[in-house]
Amino acid sequence: MDIGAVDHVEFYVGDAQQSAFFLCTAFGFRLCGQAGPETGLPDQRSLLLRQGGISLVLTSALTPEHPAAAYVALHGDGVANIAFEVTDAAKAFETAVERGATVVEELAVHGRDGNEVVTASVLGFGDVAHRFVQRTGDRDDFLPGVMDIFAPDPDEAEQVLSTVDHAAICLPAGQLRDTVAFYEKVFGFSEIFEEFIEVGTQAMDSKVVQSPSGQVTFTLIEPVTDRDPGQIDGFLARHGGAGVQHLALLSDDIVAAVGTLESRGVRFLETPDTYYSELEKRLGSPELKISDLRRTNVLVDQDHWGQVFQIFTQSLHVRRTFFWEVIDRHGARTFGSGNIKALYEAVAREKTTA
């Protein structure tokens, strides 16, 4: 199965216009298109946001029958579909179904002015689906014949984010191994990293799976049930089952990106000063100045290939479930061994002080 990068991520939300306003104002996304009753979709409103190579689709239900209505009622706003670029959507769809995937959306062909997009979806984890997307012609015509595309915005905000780096996914206890096996069997992913994380009396298991192209990466996390309940258990309870805890967006300059995003109103998790005081003992000299990392609360870790710099936003979700990550890779292909624990501790601090 020839899976390339993440084509787009679709969120089901209660109010697409309100969500788009926040993402455009705070994160610098640009509103590029819309679909709804006027384009032949009577039961939904979808807005397309773009920045760099990132495409987000925000979909709100206009009738109780649309799946976004049930999703938002169960989970609140959240990720409903992580779409994959493929060279042959029909073949990818057929192969996935033959390997045991459940059909969510049948094969569909959309065309206009010589541009064509072929799509089909199968179920991934929980109730989150994966859409295979095959594009021919002008890629800016996101869904030809279905979505109206707007003219470029002459006052486009500075773009500090480039691509979707990975998604972090919380799973109920006991589902981690089966989910890894499912992605290996159905989509041809490989396990590239694993870690058992202990924080006080809490613990969780984490495994990372990645597509053969290296462009689609999922961090899968489950709680350990013989320890005290922790933030993963909290996510599962508040979200109502498995789901995307955060999306990581790649930046080429994380220090500058944090400054820009904070100036627009984005708020990030804070890191204790002791983290930076002990940093050189743990990792040696990082490639970015420790003073800059301390000032911006950016975390740093390393693997065999290089260093990775990360920071996580505070959650603005009403249930305190979904949040965003900004990541900057200096050669690192995975996540090192310290930042997941640091994130776990930072999120725990935020919840106790909220």
Short mmCIF file of all heavy atoms in Angstrom, two decimals, residues 305-334:
data_model
loop_
_atom_site.label_atom_id
_atom_site.label_comp_id
_atom_site.label_asym_id
_atom_site.label_seq_id
_atom_site.Cartn_x
_atom_site.Cartn_y
_atom_site.Cartn_z
N TRP A 305 19.79 9.53 15.87
CA TRP A 305 20.02 10.32 14.66
C TRP A 305 20.16 11.82 14.92
O TRP A 305 20.68 12.53 14.08
CB TRP A 305 18.88 10.07 13.67
CG TRP A 305 18.81 8.64 13.24
CD1 TRP A 305 19.52 8.02 12.26
CD2 TRP A 305 17.96 7.63 13.81
NE1 TRP A 305 19.18 6.70 12.17
CE2 TRP A 305 18.22 6.42 13.12
CE3 TRP A 305 17.01 7.63 14.84
CZ2 TRP A 305 17.57 5.23 13.43
CZ3 TRP A 305 16.37 6.44 15.14
CH2 TRP A 305 16.64 5.26 14.44
N GLY A 306 19.68 12.29 16.06
CA GLY A 306 19.77 13.72 16.31
C GLY A 306 18.88 14.15 17.45
O GLY A 306 18.44 13.33 18.27
N GLN A 307 18.58 15.43 17.50
CA GLN A 307 17.78 15.99 18.59
C GLN A 307 16.40 16.40 18.10
O GLN A 307 16.20 16.69 16.92
CB GLN A 307 18.50 17.21 19.20
CG GLN A 307 19.81 16.86 19.88
CD GLN A 307 20.46 18.05 20.55
OE1 GLN A 307 20.19 19.20 20.24
NE2 GLN A 307 21.36 17.76 21.51
N VAL A 308 15.47 16.42 19.05
CA VAL A 308 14.10 16.83 18.75
C VAL A 308 13.65 17.81 19.82
O VAL A 308 13.90 17.61 21.01
CB VAL A 308 13.15 15.61 18.69
CG1 VAL A 308 13.18 14.81 19.97
CG2 VAL A 308 11.72 16.04 18.35
N PHE A 309 13.03 18.91 19.39
CA PHE A 309 12.57 19.96 20.28
C PHE A 309 11.04 20.02 20.19
O PHE A 309 10.48 20.02 19.09
CB PHE A 309 13.18 21.30 19.88
CG PHE A 309 14.68 21.31 19.96
CD1 PHE A 309 15.45 20.87 18.90
CD2 PHE A 309 15.33 21.74 21.12
CE1 PHE A 309 16.85 20.85 18.97
CE2 PHE A 309 16.72 21.74 21.19
CZ PHE A 309 17.48 21.28 20.12
N GLN A 310 10.38 20.08 21.36
CA GLN A 310 8.93 19.99 21.40
C GLN A 310 8.34 20.93 22.44
O GLN A 310 8.98 21.22 23.46
CB GLN A 310 8.50 18.56 21.78
CG GLN A 310 8.95 17.47 20.82
CD GLN A 310 8.79 16.09 21.44
OE1 GLN A 310 9.65 15.62 22.17
NE2 GLN A 310 7.66 15.44 21.15
N ILE A 311 7.12 21.37 22.19
CA ILE A 311 6.36 22.12 23.19
C ILE A 311 4.88 21.84 22.94
O ILE A 311 4.46 21.59 21.80
CB ILE A 311 6.66 23.63 23.14
CG1 ILE A 311 6.03 24.34 24.35
CG2 ILE A 311 6.19 24.26 21.82
CD1 ILE A 311 6.52 25.77 24.54
N PHE A 312 4.08 21.88 24.02
CA PHE A 312 2.69 21.50 23.95
C PHE A 312 1.82 22.65 24.44
O PHE A 312 2.14 23.32 25.42
CB PHE A 312 2.45 20.26 24.81
CG PHE A 312 3.37 19.13 24.46
CD1 PHE A 312 4.61 19.01 25.07
CD2 PHE A 312 3.02 18.20 23.50
CE1 PHE A 312 5.48 17.99 24.74
CE2 PHE A 312 3.88 17.18 23.15
CZ PHE A 312 5.12 17.07 23.77
N THR A 313 0.71 22.87 23.74
CA THR A 313 -0.19 23.95 24.13
C THR A 313 -1.04 23.54 25.32
O THR A 313 -1.24 22.35 25.59
CB THR A 313 -1.13 24.34 22.98
OG1 THR A 313 -2.09 23.29 22.77
CG2 THR A 313 -0.37 24.63 21.71
N GLN A 314 -1.54 24.52 26.04
CA GLN A 314 -2.60 24.24 26.99
C GLN A 314 -3.85 23.83 26.21
O GLN A 314 -4.07 24.26 25.09
CB GLN A 314 -2.90 25.49 27.82
CG GLN A 314 -1.76 25.96 28.69
CD GLN A 314 -2.09 27.21 29.46
OE1 GLN A 314 -3.25 27.62 29.53
NE2 GLN A 314 -1.08 27.84 30.04
N SER A 315 -4.64 22.98 26.80
CA SER A 315 -5.85 22.54 26.14
C SER A 315 -6.96 23.57 26.33
O SER A 315 -7.26 23.97 27.46
CB SER A 315 -6.32 21.19 26.68
OG SER A 315 -7.54 20.81 26.08
N LEU A 316 -7.55 23.99 25.21
CA LEU A 316 -8.72 24.87 25.27
C LEU A 316 -10.01 24.10 25.07
O LEU A 316 -11.09 24.69 25.00
CB LEU A 316 -8.58 25.97 24.22
CG LEU A 316 -7.45 26.97 24.47
CD1 LEU A 316 -7.39 27.99 23.34
CD2 LEU A 316 -7.61 27.67 25.81
N HIS A 317 -9.88 22.79 24.94
CA HIS A 317 -11.05 21.94 24.78
C HIS A 317 -11.88 21.98 26.05
O HIS A 317 -11.34 21.97 27.16
CB HIS A 317 -10.61 20.51 24.48
CG HIS A 317 -11.67 19.63 23.92
ND1 HIS A 317 -12.73 19.18 24.67
CD2 HIS A 317 -11.85 19.11 22.68
CE1 HIS A 317 -13.50 18.41 23.92
NE2 HIS A 317 -12.99 18.36 22.71
N VAL A 318 -13.18 22.03 25.92
CA VAL A 318 -14.06 22.14 27.08
C VAL A 318 -13.87 20.95 28.01
O VAL A 318 -14.06 21.05 29.23
CB VAL A 318 -15.53 22.29 26.64
CG1 VAL A 318 -16.03 21.02 25.95
CG2 VAL A 318 -16.42 22.65 27.83
N ARG A 319 -13.45 19.79 27.47
CA ARG A 319 -13.24 18.60 28.30
C ARG A 319 -11.76 18.42 28.71
O ARG A 319 -11.41 17.42 29.31
CB ARG A 319 -13.71 17.35 27.55
CG ARG A 319 -15.15 17.40 27.10
CD ARG A 319 -15.61 16.07 26.55
NE ARG A 319 -16.92 16.15 25.93
CZ ARG A 319 -17.65 15.10 25.57
NH1 ARG A 319 -17.18 13.88 25.78
NH2 ARG A 319 -18.83 15.26 25.00
N ARG A 320 -10.93 19.36 28.32
CA ARG A 320 -9.50 19.28 28.58
C ARG A 320 -8.90 17.99 27.99
O ARG A 320 -8.11 17.31 28.64
CB ARG A 320 -9.21 19.35 30.09
CG ARG A 320 -9.44 20.72 30.71
CD ARG A 320 -8.40 21.72 30.16
NE ARG A 320 -8.54 23.02 30.79
CZ ARG A 320 -7.84 23.42 31.84
NH1 ARG A 320 -6.95 22.62 32.38
NH2 ARG A 320 -8.02 24.62 32.34
N THR A 321 -9.30 17.68 26.77
CA THR A 321 -8.75 16.49 26.11
C THR A 321 -7.75 16.90 25.04
O THR A 321 -6.55 16.83 25.26
CB THR A 321 -9.88 15.63 25.54
OG1 THR A 321 -10.79 16.46 24.80
CG2 THR A 321 -10.64 14.91 26.64
N PHE A 322 -8.20 17.37 23.90
CA PHE A 322 -7.30 17.64 22.77
C PHE A 322 -6.43 18.88 22.99
O PHE A 322 -6.88 19.88 23.55
CB PHE A 322 -8.13 17.83 21.49
CG PHE A 322 -7.28 18.08 20.28
CD1 PHE A 322 -6.69 17.03 19.60
CD2 PHE A 322 -7.05 19.37 19.83
CE1 PHE A 322 -5.88 17.26 18.50
CE2 PHE A 322 -6.25 19.62 18.73
CZ PHE A 322 -5.66 18.55 18.06
N PHE A 323 -5.16 18.79 22.54
CA PHE A 323 -4.28 19.96 22.49
C PHE A 323 -3.33 19.80 21.31
O PHE A 323 -3.38 18.81 20.57
CB PHE A 323 -3.51 20.15 23.81
CG PHE A 323 -2.74 18.94 24.29
CD1 PHE A 323 -1.41 18.76 23.95
CD2 PHE A 323 -3.36 18.00 25.10
CE1 PHE A 323 -0.70 17.66 24.39
CE2 PHE A 323 -2.65 16.88 25.55
CZ PHE A 323 -1.32 16.72 25.20
N TRP A 324 -2.48 20.81 21.09
CA TRP A 324 -1.56 20.84 19.95
C TRP A 324 -0.12 20.73 20.43
O TRP A 324 0.19 21.06 21.58
CB TRP A 324 -1.71 22.14 19.15
CG TRP A 324 -3.05 22.34 18.54
CD1 TRP A 324 -4.13 22.95 19.10
CD2 TRP A 324 -3.48 21.90 17.24
NE1 TRP A 324 -5.20 22.94 18.24
CE2 TRP A 324 -4.83 22.30 17.09
CE3 TRP A 324 -2.85 21.23 16.20
CZ2 TRP A 324 -5.56 22.04 15.93
CZ3 TRP A 324 -3.58 20.97 15.04
CH2 TRP A 324 -4.91 21.36 14.92
N GLU A 325 0.73 20.31 19.53
CA GLU A 325 2.18 20.28 19.79
C GLU A 325 2.89 20.98 18.64
O GLU A 325 2.46 20.88 17.48
CB GLU A 325 2.68 18.84 19.88
CG GLU A 325 4.20 18.72 19.97
CD GLU A 325 4.71 17.28 19.95
OE1 GLU A 325 3.89 16.35 20.12
OE2 GLU A 325 5.92 17.09 19.75
N VAL A 326 3.96 21.70 18.95
CA VAL A 326 4.87 22.22 17.93
C VAL A 326 6.18 21.46 18.10
O VAL A 326 6.68 21.31 19.21
CB VAL A 326 5.10 23.73 18.08
CG1 VAL A 326 6.09 24.23 17.02
CG2 VAL A 326 3.78 24.48 17.98
N ILE A 327 6.74 20.97 17.01
CA ILE A 327 7.93 20.12 17.05
C ILE A 327 8.93 20.59 16.01
O ILE A 327 8.56 21.07 14.93
CB ILE A 327 7.54 18.63 16.85
CG1 ILE A 327 8.74 17.70 17.04
CG2 ILE A 327 6.90 18.42 15.48
CD1 ILE A 327 8.35 16.24 17.13
N ASP A 328 10.20 20.47 16.35
CA ASP A 328 11.30 20.88 15.46
C ASP A 328 12.35 19.78 15.52
O ASP A 328 12.91 19.51 16.58
CB ASP A 328 11.87 22.21 15.96
CG ASP A 328 12.96 22.78 15.04
OD1 ASP A 328 13.34 22.11 14.06
OD2 ASP A 328 13.44 23.89 15.34
N ARG A 329 12.60 19.13 14.39
CA ARG A 329 13.51 17.99 14.35
C ARG A 329 14.88 18.41 13.80
O ARG A 329 14.97 18.94 12.71
CB ARG A 329 12.94 16.86 13.51
CG ARG A 329 11.68 16.23 14.11
CD ARG A 329 11.24 15.01 13.33
NE ARG A 329 10.06 14.40 13.93
CZ ARG A 329 10.12 13.53 14.93
NH1 ARG A 329 11.29 13.16 15.41
NH2 ARG A 329 9.00 13.01 15.44
N HIS A 330 15.91 18.15 14.59
CA HIS A 330 17.29 18.36 14.15
C HIS A 330 17.92 17.01 13.93
O HIS A 330 18.84 16.60 14.63
CB HIS A 330 18.05 19.17 15.20
CG HIS A 330 17.65 20.60 15.28
ND1 HIS A 330 18.54 21.63 15.53
CD2 HIS A 330 16.44 21.21 15.13
CE1 HIS A 330 17.91 22.79 15.54
NE2 HIS A 330 16.62 22.55 15.31
N GLY A 331 17.40 16.28 12.95
CA GLY A 331 17.90 14.96 12.60
C GLY A 331 17.19 13.82 13.28
O GLY A 331 17.24 12.67 12.80
N ALA A 332 16.53 14.04 14.41
CA ALA A 332 15.86 12.96 15.14
C ALA A 332 14.71 12.37 14.33
O ALA A 332 13.95 13.10 13.69
CB ALA A 332 15.34 13.47 16.48
N ARG A 333 14.59 11.05 14.37
CA ARG A 333 13.52 10.36 13.65
C ARG A 333 12.43 9.87 14.60
O ARG A 333 11.34 9.54 14.16
CB ARG A 333 14.09 9.17 12.88
CG ARG A 333 15.16 9.56 11.85
CD ARG A 333 15.68 8.33 11.15
NE ARG A 333 16.84 8.62 10.31
CZ ARG A 333 17.55 7.71 9.65
NH1 ARG A 333 17.20 6.42 9.75
NH2 ARG A 333 18.59 8.05 8.92
N THR A 334 12.77 9.77 15.90
CA THR A 334 11.78 9.30 16.87
C THR A 334 11.59 10.39 17.93
O THR A 334 11.51 11.55 17.59
CB THR A 334 12.22 7.96 17.49
OG1 THR A 334 13.48 8.12 18.14
CG2 THR A 334 12.34 6.89 16.42
#
